[in-house]
Amino acid sequence: MRTDSRLSRTLHVLLHMARHDGPMTSEAIGRMLGTNPVVVRRTMAGLRDAGYVKSEKGHGGGWTIAANLAEVSLLDIHRAVGGPRIFAIGSDHPNPDCAVEKAVNEAVEDTLREAEALLVARLGAISLAELARSFDAQLQSCGTTTADTCG
């Protein structure tokens, strides 16, 4: 099963942007992620609409952080990029006639609701500022100030 990496890829970009002097172009971000700049612009548009980034056109333009990293959670970013439902597993028949399938559906749905509530709460509790501090600590531990040289 293919995983949806929009959240992790977007967080990756935002951390680079937070530590980058000046705007980052869609082309530069696309090269960093190995994707087309059009995909970058589509993703960044959701972040711009939410007020987390801004863009400048023309020479010297690009994307910059527009929000206070301490005020933006991972859940906020997940929602801004149009992330999928937290869990994609579930029942094919939500209202089955079979009593066994009803029992199975209830157990699975209850478990998924509980797990999703925990994950949503945790994503909502982690700010971009916390991720940036972790990123900075990892760079410091390998004796560099740029992510490109710490592998």
Side-chain angles (χ1 to χ4, degrees):
M1 175 172 58
R2 188 165 184 254
T3 58
D4 186 301
S5 61
R6 277 179 285 185
L7 177 61
S8 62
R9 290 168 62 89
T10 302
L11 294 171
H12 181 122
V13 168
L14 290 171
L15 289 182
H16 274 284
M17 288 173 62
R19 296 303 183 253
H20 182 75
D21 290 329
M24 291 183 73
T25 66
S26 298
E27 290 73 18
I29 295 169
R31 280 190 304 275
M32 180 175 56
L33 297 176
T35 193
N36 191 296
V38 172
V39 174
V40 171
R41 285 189 282 277
R42 192 177 316 127
T43 300
M44 298 302 273
L47 297 171
R48 182 189 55 223
D49 293 346
Y52 304 141
V53 299
K54 62 182 178 179
S55 63
E56 297 289 329
K57 295 182 189 232
H59 183 70
W63 299 97
T64 56
I65 300 285
N68 180 336
L69 298 182
E71 296 174 2
V72 182
S73 73
L74 275 59
L75 182 61
D76 294 330
I77 300 303
H78 171 73
R79 289 176 174 155
V81 298
R85 287 183 29 216
I86 298 292
F87 296 112
I89 58 177
S91 169
D92 282 343
H93 304 88
N95 299 307
D97 294 327
C98 174
V100 171
E101 192 166 355
K102 281 183 185 180
V104 168
N105 286 355
E106 287 174 12
V108 169
E109 289 167 9
D110 286 348
T111 302
L112 288 174
R113 265 192 301 277
E114 290 174 25
E116 184 170 10
L118 288 170
L119 185 55
V120 164
R122 184 66 181 131
L123 288 174
I126 302 170
S127 71
L128 289 178
E130 289 175 67
L131 281 187
R133 283 190 295 275
S134 175
F135 170 63
D136 293 341
Q138 289 184 32
L139 288 180
Q140 188 175 26
S141 73
C142 64
T144 187
T145 58
T146 62
D148 299 334
T149 58
C150 186

